[in-house]
Amino acid sequence: MAFDATFYALVGLILFLALVAYLKVPGMMGRSLDERASNIREELDEAKRLREEAQALLAEYQQKRKEAEADAANIVAAAEREAAALTAEAKQKTEEFVARRNALSEQKIRQAEADAIGSVRAAAVDLAVAAAEQVIAAKADPAIRDRLFSDAVAQVKTRLN
């Protein structure tokens, strides 16, 4: 019997397969593949759980963002209302101030007019008295002057008492 390379290859293959069967390599490979499949399944479950948590957090943060936007809009609206109220109040106070200043100015103008009229009347009275004095002095004789002076002194005495 001549043994060629094919025979030795067959014997080597049979010995290899026997060794593989003796060492239970197919069972180890099956367990290894089962463990790997189990690990992959657990990782997929973990990834699914993490995805659901992320979606829940995203929804929560989107809700918080909407609430924050609503709060910001409320704050802006309140600030605008307050600014409008302050503007209206400032306008009213300004109008009241202007009205008071106008009234005060008009009162000062009336007072100045009254003072001017009084000054003109006093000047006119003084001028009239001076003119009357000159006319009376020119037309009256000393006896009339003495009598007028006595009457004036008597009137002043009665008014003072």
Side-chain angles (χ1 to χ4, degrees):
M1 207 156 128
F3 297 111
D4 62 352
T6 309
F7 176 75
Y8 287 113
L10 178 65
V11 171
L13 179 64
I14 292 173
L15 284 176
F16 175 74
L17 290 176
L19 182 63
V20 166
Y22 176 74
L23 294 176
K24 299 180 184 176
V25 171
M28 287 194 298
M29 286 176 55
R31 278 192 305 274
S32 175
L33 289 174
D34 288 344
E35 285 179 18
R36 186 165 181 208
S38 175
N39 287 341
I40 290 172
R41 193 175 302 111
E42 288 175 6
E43 287 177 4
L44 286 174
D45 290 343
E46 180 69 16
K48 186 177 181 181
R49 186 184 60 79
L50 289 174
R51 181 173 180 248
E52 290 172 357
E53 287 179 12
Q55 286 179 339
L57 283 173
L58 176 64
E60 180 182 343
Y61 283 119
Q62 285 177 344
Q63 180 64 29
K64 286 182 180 180
R65 180 185 55 86
K66 287 179 184 176
E67 291 173 1
E69 287 175 353
D71 288 345
N74 289 339
I75 290 170
V76 167
E80 288 175 351
R81 284 191 305 270
E82 186 175 335
L86 289 174
T87 302
E89 182 180 346
K91 184 178 179 181
Q92 179 185 4
K93 286 184 179 182
T94 303
E95 289 173 355
E96 289 173 359
F97 176 75
V98 168
R100 282 195 309 269
R101 293 292 276 181
N102 284 343
L104 183 63
S105 297
E106 289 173 0
Q107 182 181 2
K108 285 182 179 180
I109 289 170
R110 285 193 298 271
Q111 183 64 38
E113 286 176 353
D115 290 346
I117 290 171
S119 295
V120 168
R121 283 184 181 165
V125 167
D126 289 343
L127 185 61
V129 168
E133 237 176 52
Q134 287 177 355
V135 168
I136 291 174
K139 289 188 176 184
D141 59 1
I144 295 175
R145 276 188 265 169
D146 288 337
R147 190 175 52 86
L148 286 174
F149 179 72
S150 300
D151 291 342
V153 169
Q155 283 180 355
V156 169
K157 283 183 183 177
T158 56
R159 288 187 183 169
L160 289 178
N161 291 332

